[in-house]
Amino acid sequence: MRRSTTLAALALTSAAVLGGALPAQAAERPTSAVPAPASASASAKGVSVKVSMDQLGAGNRIADAIRSIKTDDRGHFVREAVNKAFDAAGGRHNVMLMNLSQGYQERLHGKRLYANVQWGNIYYGLWIAESGRFTNQGDGGWINWGFKGWFDRDGGHVTFRRSW
């Protein structure tokens, strides 16, 4: 293992154990068909949500909805988190959930909420905004990002529009 990889692993482990937040450097429109929920088990991943900006007044409702997800399937967790955040925010704003260990560029406008979401040892950023652009510079797929709202997608680039 390379030294930089070892140091990064130690930093992530320390942050998880000590409850520290990772920097917010660190999301495909879910299909209307949501997969059947994985059965909850005693080994389902723990979820924590820390809302750091809430102009909607829905931060607690969104955090509680995401914390209620019980699954060991990472892709299923991302789908459910995006859907629950969208619904809990009133279904009027765009939602983006991104694995913070992946590269990305965020240029969202009218940001209404930001939260750090931890599922097991994976850290995600959750943005709820009116419009803007988001680029995933890392791996795609449901395990790393999910989004919902009014948008156009071109590969890893998503352009969100207002719903009104």
Side-chain angles (χ1 to χ4, degrees):
M1 185 180 287
R2 295 182 326 198
R3 180 179 171 94
S4 60
T5 304
T6 303
L7 292 175
L10 287 171
L12 287 173
T13 302
S14 295
V17 170
L18 299 174
L22 291 177
Q25 42 158 242
E28 177 171 302
R29 184 177 187 176
T31 61
S32 58
V34 175
S39 60
S41 67
S43 64
K45 303 284 186 203
V47 178
S48 70
V49 181
K50 294 179 184 174
V51 177
S52 60
M53 192 234 339
D54 181 10
Q55 294 181 353
L56 288 174
N60 289 334
R61 186 170 55 247
I62 292 167
D64 289 345
I66 293 172
R67 282 187 204 106
S68 74
I69 302 169
K70 306 292 184 219
T71 184
D72 282 332
D73 181 312
R74 192 165 141 195
H76 179 74
F77 170 77
V78 169
R79 284 184 190 96
E80 283 294 304
V82 167
N83 286 329
K84 286 180 180 288
F86 182 82
D87 292 343
R92 294 190 62 215
H93 294 86
N94 297 294
V95 174
M96 171 63 70
L97 184 73
M98 180 71 190
N99 180 340
L100 297 178
S101 71
Q102 302 291 306
Y104 69 90
Q105 185 176 54
E106 177 267 312
R107 289 197 173 132
L108 298 173
H109 306 288
K111 290 179 223 169
R112 298 295 177 237
L113 182 135
Y114 178 79
N116 286 311
V117 177
Q118 182 181 357
W119 179 81
N121 63 353
I122 309 295
Y123 292 85
Y124 293 92
L126 173 70
W127 292 264
I128 298 180
E130 291 180 6
S131 62
R133 240 176 113 73
F134 197 96
T135 301
N136 179 351
Q137 299 168 334
D139 292 335
W142 282 110
I143 65 170
N144 289 318
W145 74 331
F147 47 90
K148 187 170 183 173
W150 297 264
F151 62 88
D152 294 307
R153 177 181 180 187
D154 182 11
H157 305 282
V158 180
T159 303
F160 290 105
R161 298 178 305 280
R162 294 175 113 184
S163 65
W164 61 92

